[in-house]
Amino acid sequence: MRVAIMQPTYLPWSGYFGLFNYVDFFVFLDSVQFERRSWQQRNKIKSSSGSFFLSIPVLSKGLREQKIKDIKIDKESKFFEKHIKSITQNYKRTLYFEEYSNEIFHKILNNNGNLCDLNIQLILTINNFLGIKTETCRSSQLKITGKKGHLLASICTELGATEYISPPGSKEYLDQTDIFETNNIPIKYFQFNHPVYTQQYNGFESNLSIIDLLMNCGDESLDILKQASKIN
């Protein structure tokens, strides 16, 4: 069983879903410390003047070293109104805006105030659009211990993984431990060669939120993700 482990990010980029689709089981890593101004609370979309961030304000005063699963959204900021307006203004002329926007907006508007819950709900909604059927769980639901490589290996062992599929950014610290070898779990690295597809506005911008691909390419999106995905 191929397992991937990633933090739940906000409207993730296309490579996140390429990895999601490649594995048999995907673990949302919600039991580690939250990093402010990270992809956990923001992502980019495209406008006529270039890409820009959609960021979710969170409550942080007096709340240092919180776990991802415990982060609360600052609802007084009314971020949901701003994000829905920005997405609508910049994607309403795409071929698939009407098909996907209502359900995405419904999730954003009806969030329960927990950032992790919102991110996961949006990811699973987009998985459904794409046709990704990978099983999932949260790391906070598992009986695991350790940090970094040892934590990831503990998750894989708990799930009975036969392969751990890692993003290339984790290679540096995974090379510093033999815990996966000790547990007879081979590590393979997922490579996403960002595809070029039809976008609105002039030029092509990569590394945007998945909604850019989805609203421009619709039913072709999963095939595009598959073609861009490989293992090293």
Side-chain angles (χ1 to χ4, degrees):
M1 180 172 68
R2 294 175 295 194
V3 172
I5 305 166
M6 294 284 288
Q7 296 174 0
T9 57
Y10 181 55
L11 293 173
W13 76 302
S14 297
Y16 191 102
F17 291 91
L19 174 60
F20 217 121
N21 180 66
Y22 183 81
V23 299
D24 304 302
F25 205 101
F26 190 100
V27 180
F28 293 110
L29 188 63
D30 66 344
S31 55
V32 297
Q33 186 171 337
F34 173 75
E35 298 176 21
R36 292 190 64 197
R37 299 183 180 87
S38 69
W39 298 111
Q40 297 158 31
Q41 66 182 122
R42 65 180 184 173
N43 225 302
K44 293 190 294 183
I45 63 171
K46 189 178 182 184
S47 73
S48 58
S49 56
S51 62
F52 67 96
F53 280 105
L54 296 177
S55 298
I56 301 180
V58 299
L59 301 177
S60 59
K61 187 175 181 180
L63 299 170
R64 299 181 64 183
E65 299 184 0
Q66 289 188 99
K67 298 290 195 300
I68 291 172
K69 65 183 180 66
D70 299 320
I71 296 298
K72 300 298 184 185
I73 296 168
D74 181 1
K75 291 194 129 183
E76 291 187 6
S77 68
K78 295 188 177 180
F79 84 90
F80 40 88
E81 295 176 359
K82 299 172 185 175
H83 288 201
I84 289 172
K85 181 178 179 181
S86 292
I87 292 169
T88 300
Q89 286 178 337
N90 291 291
Y91 289 96
K92 64 184 177 182
R93 292 185 177 88
T94 59
L95 289 175
Y96 298 95
F97 174 79
E98 294 295 338
E99 185 169 346
Y100 301 121
S101 60
N102 285 342
E103 194 164 349
I104 290 172
F105 293 164
H106 177 77
K107 298 296 183 188
I108 292 174
L109 279 169
N110 293 281
N111 72 85
N112 65 3
N114 181 282
L115 178 66
C116 182
D117 288 351
L118 172 61
N119 287 346
I120 292 175
Q121 287 169 9
L122 286 169
I123 290 166
L124 295 180
T125 295
I126 293 167
N127 274 355
N128 188 52
F129 292 153
L130 293 168
I132 295 174
K133 302 183 185 303
T134 303
E135 290 186 71
T136 70
C137 75
R138 304 186 186 203
S139 62
S140 58
Q141 297 171 325
L142 304 174
K143 297 176 182 179
I144 51 173
T145 58
K147 294 182 179 180
K148 291 194 173 181
H150 283 73
L151 175 63
L152 302 180
S154 179
I155 292 172
C156 288
T157 300
E158 175 80 9
L159 294 173
T162 56
E163 288 181 345
Y164 174 53
I165 310 301
S166 171
S170 301
K171 190 176 191 303
E172 183 176 348
Y173 72 77
L174 288 176
D175 282 348
Q176 297 174 9
T177 178
D178 62 357
I179 187 66
F180 279 88
E181 184 177 356
T182 300
N183 286 279
N184 296 312
I185 303 171
I187 302 173
K188 294 185 179 179
Y189 292 95
F190 179 79
Q191 186 69 42
F192 189 76
N193 298 319
H194 204 294
V196 176
Y197 54 87
T198 301
Q199 283 181 339
Q200 288 198 114
Y201 315 121
N202 295 328
F204 181 81
E205 292 208 35
S206 61
N207 303 313
L208 301 175
S209 165
I210 185 66
I211 65 172
D212 187 83
L213 172 63
L214 191 64
M215 292 188 179
N216 281 296
C217 300
D219 294 342
E220 298 178 10
S221 297
L222 184 59
D223 285 338
I224 292 171
L225 294 178
K226 288 178 179 178
Q227 292 168 17
S229 304
K230 70 176 185 178
I231 291 294
N232 289 332

